[in-house]
Amino acid sequence: MAYWHRTAPHTFSPTEHVGGAWDRATQHIAPALGVLAHEVERDRDARRSDGLVVSRLSYDILGTVPIEPIEVAVEVLRPGRTIELVQATASYAGRAVAVLRAWLVEPYDTTPLAGTDLPSIPGPDEMEPWDMAGLWPGGFIASIEIRRKELGPGRSMVWVRTPHALVADEPVSRLAAVAGLVDVTNGIAVRSDPAEVAFPNLDLTAHFLHHPAEGWLGLDTTQSYGAGGIGVTSSKMHDENGPLGTIAQTLTVRP
């Protein structure tokens, strides 16, 4: 009941639950994005104990990946006492397939200043279950539970969760678990039938207001296409306590 098994200090072997939506022979990139965040946090905890927190996860997706093991390497690009920029790279057969750059910052108590105008969304109990596997194939989509309110072409609100661990038999933070789900955003508010139009995302950047709470992950998502083959999927993230942050993805739109 996991997406990955660690088979060596920096190597992860996938289970059937990472199967892709565009091509069943390749991975859905979402679980790999979670592993990259997990390894950034593990590297941080091995180097320091002062509790830097992740404020941004920015991924570039460099290519498709067979359902085969990946290796992850982590390096600190910008060391610092209160701020770090850390990079994690996932590789298959010696080829980089996804790169994460994460900003880590020193936490402060800003409770008196906290606030946002990001709108809340109806709770998971106020939305109907949605069989996402009816639109998208693959092991990853089959592994998640979705509640959804469709608002029109390219507009949906959903809550998502999974019963599966990100990595078997080791503790994973809630942030890394969320990072393993966020790439679902590009498939929950489609403007076009994916059997007729391809619109894979090339990247994903998530900004966090705070560490996510346990439970459902909420996504208020808009998918937009330009006239020249470029698109953007934009989402506002929520946990069950309210707004959590934002996500943006670049799309290549291919009729």
Side-chain angles (χ1 to χ4, degrees), residues 237-254:
M237 281 188 295
H238 303 258
D239 60 22
E240 293 183 52
N241 298 319
L244 173 62
T246 63
I247 301 170
Q249 296 165 287
T250 302
L251 314 182
T252 172
V253 183
R254 305 180 177 189

Side-chain angles (χ1 to χ4, degrees), residues 123-181:
D125 293 339
E126 300 175 68
M127 296 188 192
E128 295 296 322
W130 179 46
D131 179 18
M132 193 173 179
L135 179 64
W136 295 99
F140 174 70
I141 297 302
S143 77
I144 59 177
E145 180 183 358
I146 295 272
R147 306 242 177 121
R148 182 177 185 237
K149 181 177 182 180
E150 185 175 9
L151 302 175
R155 278 289 288 125
S156 289
M157 297 177 179
V158 308
W159 291 93
V160 58
R161 64 183 178 183
T162 178
H164 303 293
L166 181 64
V167 182
D169 302 322
E170 64 183 68
V172 173
S173 77
R174 178 58 183 162
L175 182 131
V178 164
L181 291 173

Side-chain angles (χ1 to χ4, degrees), residues 158-230:
V158 308
W159 291 93
V160 58
R161 64 183 178 183
T162 178
H164 303 293
L166 181 64
V167 182
D169 302 322
E170 64 183 68
V172 173
S173 77
R174 178 58 183 162
L175 182 131
V178 164
L181 291 173
V182 291
D183 192 66
V184 75
T185 50
N186 196 38
I188 60 175
V190 301
R191 296 195 66 84
S192 302
D193 184 343
E196 299 178 357
V197 179
F199 44 90
N201 58 298
L202 308 180
D203 62 5
L204 184 151
T205 296
H207 291 94
F208 292 87
L209 290 169
H210 54 79
H211 194 85
E214 297 291 334
W216 291 86
L217 171 68
L219 299 164
D220 181 358
T221 297
T222 301
Q223 189 178 84
S224 306
Y225 299 162
I230 300 173

